[in-house]
Structures are given as C-alpha cells and as structure tokens.
Amino acid sequence: MEQPQPLTILIADDNPVDRLLLASILRQFGHKVILAVDGRDAVEKFDAKTVQLVCLGITMPHKNGWEVAEDIQCITGDLFIPIIFLSGVVDAVALSNCLRVGGADFISKPYNTALITTKLNTIVRLLVMRRTLEEQRDAMALYNQQLLNEQDVAKVVYENITHSNCLNDSALSTFHYGTHTFNGDVILAAYKPNGGMHLLLGDFTGHGLSAAIGALPLADIFFDWTKKGFLMRQIIPEINARLKGILPTNMFCSAAFIDIKVNDKSIEIWNGGLPDLLFFSQQSDRPIRFASKNLPLGILSPELFECRIDPVSFSSGDRIMAFSDGVYEALDGAGTMFCDSVLPPLYKGEIRAEESVDWLMAQLQQEDVLDNPHDDISCLSVRLDPAIGIDSSRHLVSKAHHEAPADFSFDYVLHADSLRNTDPLPYVLQILTTVPGLSRFSSQIFMILSELYSNALEHGVLKLSSAKKDSSDGFSSYYEERERTLANLTEGFVKISVKVTSDRQHRLLVLYVEDSGVGFDFHRASYDTSNTELLYNRGLGLLHRLCSKLEFSKGGRAVSAHYCWQVGEES
C-alpha cells in the first residue's frame, strides 16, 4: 500500500468518538493532526501557513461545515487547501452543498481505513501537482519578468544605435509604427562631413526581434562610414556584403538610400525593393517616381552586387519621400491595398508635397491601420535645401586649447585602376583628422578635398564638361557619362599631396592636387557664388571662400589650396 506524504491536517467534528477515531487513523500514517470540537473552534485553529488539509463534519454547533468551509476559503484566498467533508449523511442535497462550497471530496461514516488511505493518497498527489503547477507558474512569471527586463535593456541599446543620428533635423519628417517592441523597419539619417546628409529607410523581412537584429550591423556601417566620408555607392555594397554574410538565407532588407549633396544641389537615390520613392519638384505638377532597380540588401554576393543609382538635381523647397511596404500594402476598410485605393491621389500630384506626410498618416488612421497594423509602417520625407548638414560637425567635436604641433607630409598617387575602384578621400580625411585641432574643421577640409579631387578626376582625367549640368536632364546625363567613362578608364592619374606645418599658434594645411588632363584657363575662372540657382561651376567660389590661398599651376592641371587655423580656434 502506498503511504501518503505526512501532512498537517485539521479535523473538526463535534462527535468526539468519530473525531478521535479519524485522528487515530491519520496519525498511524504519520500525519500531524489538529483537533477542533466545533465549527467556530475550527476557524480559530485554522492556520493557512501550516494546515495542508481540512476535514470537516457537516453538522456542528456554532458553525456548520459548509459555513466553516466558506470562512476558510476567505482566509486562504488563492492558496489551495483541500477540504474533505465527514458525515453519515449521504443524500444528494448534502453532497451537492459540499461541492458548492468548494469541497474536494467526501468521507462517509463509519470510517473505512482502506478508503481513507486511498483518498489521502489522491489528495497528496493533487497537492503535489498543485504545488508543481504553482512553482512552474512562479518560474514562468520570473522568467517573463527577466525577459521583459532584458528586452527593455536591448530596446535601449537598439534605439541608441539606430537613433544616434540627425532625425531631429527640421528638414526631416518621419513616422514609424511597429507591430512589436522590436520591428524590422529602420530609419537612419547622418550628416556627411562635407555637408549634406545620408538617409536610409530599411525594411527587414519578418517582424519582432529576429527582424530588428539585422538593423544593428546596418546602422553601424551606415553611421561609421558616413562619418568617415565614404560615398553612398561605397557604403551600400559594404552593407550588402555584411548582411549577406550574417543573415539567414530567407532574410534580407529592402531599402532606400538617399544621398543629399549640397555642393551641387543634387540627390542620388538607390532603391532596392521598396515602393517607388517620390520626388516632388516645384517645377512639376506630379511627383517623379523612382522605382526599385536593385535587389534588396543581403541577397546577392559581393561579386554579383551592382549599384544602380538615380541622380537628380533639386531646388530649395523640393521634397523626396519614401515609405515601407507596410504603407504600400496596408488594407483599407474594404480590404483593398493602399497602393490601389489610397495612394493614387499622392502619385497624381493631387496632394501638396509639404502636406504629404500628414495626409498619409491621416489616411492610415482613418482606415484603422495604425491601431491594427499587419506590418511595420515607416515613412520618411525630406525638404531639400543646400544648407542641410552645413557646419554640423561643430557640435560633435570638443574644443582643445592645448593642441600639440604637427609637421608631416605625404603623397598619394592614383592611377587608372585605383581611380576606377577607390575613393581616396575618406582615407586622406582620416589621416588629417588625427592632426590635433584639425578635426574640428573636418567638414570644411572634406569639402575642399572633395572639390579638388572631383575637379581633377571629372574635368582633368575624364575630360567631362560642367556645362552639361545646366539642366535636370543634363545633370543625369553628366553622371551617366561619368560612370561610363570612369568604368572604361585605362590611363591617367590624380596626385594628392598633403603637407601640415605649424608654429606656436598658427597651423597650415596645404592640399596639392594634380591630374593628367590638359588643364584649363584658370585666369578666366569665376569665384562668384551669388547665383544660387546655378547647378554647376560653384566649386571654385567655394574653395576661394574657404581657403586662405588658392594657387593654380602647370596650365591648370595642378592646384594648391592653403587652409589656416589657429590653436584653440572654433570652426
């Protein structure tokens, strides 16, 4: 016979013979017994911390067994302590009342030892099972709380990584709704060291943490490479290679990358798998649509990946807008996708550009999409302006009044193979920003360097004419020709020489850039930057304004730019 585990049992019965007989039987099995002579005595002796089982007679003075059962249940609350009723009465009404007040079982008199043993074993198994369930419940609650705490920490880290950008720039308008704490949509924005901004709207496959985790390496590359001055066409392949290497085969990132170039008032657009981007030109009645020309990031190997980019010039006040699949494929009240039922007025130019984001959000709210999203929803809009990102670096670098002097120089010569495949500017800038005090001026230095290098490469080596950029169409043609000519380049060179000198208070940086072209008549060069509507030929005026001295030589094939700063000077 299986022996029950020892319990502490309260027995309440006004019949002393039955009470003592049952106590004697239970003690034989090793149980501890507490005796009560009536219902009131039972309630007074009940202790929820020690008593594990209650045996109640039904008819007792002061309180009957059913009333005692209700009092005990009020005391125990959610704690489970089984109650067994004792009675010689076996009518259906009495048994029904026992069950109604929460009785777990019924023992009839006269007592049968074998029957009591069986019922106690059942009660013990029930208690063990109940205790196991409570322990598992408590463990699950603790695990869930730990999971929530870890999720909160991970969310802070995630937001610090993906939001450490310039999304608060007044030129930007965004909204973002996720279906989970973590989601697969990400909006990134970062100022470039030479002015302007990089923007990325990404939409990873799936939802939740598994989708969001891919955003971390993406954001890391985006911010780090933008800060170092890498171009969009260099950053995108790097992100693709990283995601291809770490994501599972069924996971990728549809994305749109926008490069705002304030020097020549243009933007470059890369769309890999997102809905059409909309460019709202003030010269056009309806937005220009930039459809996806690339596969999403993380699908192709680095060897097969290509960057198909759309260039377009802009005027102050033009806008560019992008949104994720969550908007395009959202369902209206009739079950029709937004791309067919809601977005057509936007595509037709019936919505004012400056109101497009608010209008789109209103449509999502009206169709009850935001309260019941089936996908992550993100939207990004930029009011284009040549002042975006100018002097942004001054807020990022602390002043240093004790700047060690520096004197060094180096030459960097790029021949045809390197010109086709390498952008030297981030590397040169990285060296220059190690000069004490010069990092505060990295924006201006990069602007000077990029202008000198672009002139040497495009006009010197590739022999392109700026006059081709006199219209929006010509602008696109210019860059298409640039890409085509550069890809086929077999000869030519660009030489970059850097020299830094210093004395106690003054510092001087001399950038010398020479190319293999035929030169130009620099005596007729214009340094006028007053015509802000001109889409080209403003670079020399910019250089003239930033540099203390600008000197051409070798028939216009070489130029030296002198940049001075003082110890402790702010940018």
Side-chain angles (χ1 to χ4, degrees):
M1 181 180 295
E2 184 180 356
Q3 295 295 322
Q5 296 182 10
L7 301 175
T8 299
I9 303 173
L10 172 65
I11 299 174
D13 195 333
D14 60 325
N15 186 320
V17 176
D18 291 342
R19 182 172 66 242
L20 295 175
L21 176 60
L22 179 59
S24 175
I25 295 172
L26 295 177
R27 284 176 177 137
Q28 289 179 12
F29 298 129
H31 299 300
K32 180 181 179 182
V33 175
I34 300 173
L35 298 176
V37 298
D38 55 36
R40 185 169 56 197
D41 190 31
V43 174
E44 291 175 353
K45 291 181 176 177
F46 175 76
D47 184 352
K49 296 180 181 177
T50 57
V51 174
Q52 296 166 290
L53 174 64
V54 177
C55 297
L56 295 176
I58 294 178
T59 56
M60 293 186 292
H62 306 301
K63 283 180 183 285
N64 62 39
W66 302 319
E67 293 171 328
V68 175
E70 291 176 341
D71 288 349
I72 288 176
Q73 289 176 339
C74 289
I75 296 171
T76 56
D78 295 332
L79 185 63
F80 175 69
I81 297 180
I83 298 174
I84 294 177
F85 285 97
L86 315 168
S87 178
V89 180
V90 292
D91 65 276
V93 175
L95 293 175
S96 174
N97 283 337
C98 293
L99 297 176
R100 178 180 58 78
V101 297
D105 207 337
F106 187 91
I107 298 177
S108 59
K109 300 177 182 178
Y111 298 127
N112 180 297
T113 304
L115 180 62
I116 291 174
T117 303
T118 301
K119 288 182 179 292
L120 285 178
N121 281 338
T122 302
I123 292 296
V124 168
R125 284 196 295 270
L126 182 64
L127 286 172
V128 170
M129 186 183 303
R130 181 81 180 201
R131 190 177 298 122
T132 301
L133 289 174
E134 289 174 349
E135 290 173 353
Q136 291 176 340
R137 179 201 62 192
D138 294 342
M140 287 294 294
L142 179 61
Y143 174 76
N144 186 58
Q145 186 59 48
Q146 290 174 338
L147 189 64
L148 290 175
N149 292 338
E150 291 174 357
Q151 196 174 67
D152 289 340
V153 173
K155 189 170 186 292
V156 170
V157 174
Y158 176 83
E159 291 180 347
N160 285 339
I161 293 175
T162 58
H163 294 184
S164 56
N165 51 33
C166 53
L167 283 176
N168 58 350
D169 190 294
S170 60
L172 300 184
S173 299
T174 63
F175 66 78
H176 180 64
Y177 289 85
T179 56
H180 299 74
T181 302
F182 293 96
N183 63 81
D185 281 8
V186 60
I187 300 176
L188 306 176
Y191 296 121
K192 300 190 298 182
N194 62 332
M197 183 184 291
H198 278 165
L199 294 147
L200 186 146
L201 193 157
D203 181 1
F204 282 88
T205 48
H207 309 288
L209 181 59
S210 61
I213 200 166
L216 299 181
L218 182 149
D220 183 49
I221 297 171
F222 177 86
F223 289 122
D224 189 44
W225 283 47
T226 296
K227 182 181 178 181
K228 291 178 178 176
F230 284 93
L231 304 177
M232 178 179 76
R233 63 185 65 246
Q234 297 171 302
I235 298 174
I236 292 173
E238 177 64 19
I239 293 175
N240 175 73
R242 185 77 64 87
L243 295 183
K244 176 64 177 174
I246 64 173
L247 295 182
T249 53
N250 61 345
M251 188 173 174
F252 52 83
C253 178
S254 299
F257 201 127
I258 303 168
D259 182 0
I260 301 175
K261 306 165 76 172
V262 294
N263 288 356
D264 57 6
K265 300 172 68 174
S266 69
I267 57 175
E268 290 188 337
I269 301 166
W270 181 92
N271 187 355
L274 278 191
D276 294 357
L277 274 70
L278 305 180
F279 176 65
F280 295 88
S281 170
Q282 298 166 93
Q283 308 302 317
S284 177
D285 294 333
R286 60 171 59 196
I288 301 172
R289 299 172 64 165
F290 290 92
S292 171
K293 296 181 178 177
N294 305 274
L295 286 176
L297 299 166
I299 293 180
L300 295 176
S301 65
E303 296 76 20
L304 298 176
F305 186 78
E306 294 183 8
C307 247
R308 296 186 177 87
I309 292 172
D310 291 309
V312 62
S313 61
F314 71 82
S315 300
S316 295
D318 292 345
R319 287 177 181 268
I320 182 80
M321 181 182 191
F323 44 77
S324 62
D325 284 342
V327 174
Y328 191 80
E329 298 174 353
L331 300 179
D332 65 10
T336 306
M337 288 204 300
F338 262 42
C339 58
D340 296 323
S341 63
V342 173
L343 298 180
L346 187 65
Y347 292 145
K348 294 176 183 175
E350 297 172 2
I351 310 300
R352 291 166 55 88
E354 59 271 27
E355 299 171 354
S356 56
V357 172
D358 292 338
W359 175 85
L360 186 56
M361 183 177 288
Q363 300 303 308
L364 291 165
Q365 289 175 330
Q366 181 178 322
E367 298 297 335
D368 201 27
V369 174
L370 297 183
D371 292 333
N372 300 287
H374 298 292
D375 194 0
D376 302 321
I377 293 172
S378 298
C379 178
L380 163 69
S381 176
V382 191
R383 176 177 45 78
L384 298 167
D385 189 289
I388 289 177
I390 297 297
D391 294 333
S392 59
S393 63
R394 68 172 56 187
H395 305 294
L396 304 176
V397 182
S398 60
K399 294 194 324 182
H401 293 280
H402 304 287
E403 299 165 0
D407 287 280
F408 67 87
S409 64
F410 64 87
D411 294 335
Y412 193 177
V413 183
L414 297 98
H415 296 282
D417 287 343
S418 295
L419 291 171
R420 286 200 310 271
N421 303 310
T422 305
D423 179 10
L425 302 190
Y427 306 106
V428 176
L429 183 67
Q430 200 163 0
I431 296 174
L432 290 177
T433 51
T434 63
V435 177
L438 193 55
S439 58
R440 297 198 306 277
F441 308 95
S442 60
S443 175
Q444 296 179 15
I445 300 302
F446 194 86
M447 202 174 292
I448 296 169
L449 194 58
S450 60
E451 191 63 32
L452 293 175
Y453 181 74
S454 295
N455 284 339
L457 176 64
E458 296 175 8
H459 307 315
V461 178
L462 303 181
K463 300 180 175 57
L464 301 176
S465 171
S466 291
K468 292 181 179 178
K469 295 192 288 187
D470 59 356
S471 68
S472 296
D473 292 339
F475 200 90
S476 298
S477 299
Y478 176 89
Y479 280 100
E480 288 173 2
E481 183 178 353
R482 180 189 186 280
E483 294 304 302
R484 186 172 58 253
T485 308
L486 183 60
N488 297 320
L489 186 68
T490 57
E491 59 183 15
F493 73 86
V494 173
K495 176 182 179 181
I496 301 172
S497 298
V498 175
K499 182 172 184 173
V500 175
T501 57
S502 60
D503 57 23
R504 291 178 60 85
Q505 287 296 323
H506 298 89
R507 306 287 189 264
L508 173 63
L509 166 67
V510 180
L511 295 171
Y512 172 87
V513 178
E514 179 183 345
D515 63 71
S516 57
V518 298
F520 75 108
D521 185 2
F522 55 85
H523 299 292
R524 300 177 60 184
S526 173
Y527 301 110
D528 182 17
T529 59
S530 60
N531 186 358
T532 58
E533 298 302 320
L534 197 61
L535 296 176
Y536 66 99
N537 206 27
R538 300 174 63 235
L540 287 181
L542 184 65
L543 290 175
H544 189 260
R545 195 174 61 188
L546 292 175
C547 299
S548 59
K549 182 180 179 182
L550 194 63
E551 189 174 62
F552 291 94
S553 60
K554 297 185 178 181
R557 292 192 300 107
V559 58
S560 296
H562 294 234
Y563 185 84
C564 300
W565 77 100
Q566 295 184 355
V567 175
E569 184 182 9
E570 293 185 60
S571 59

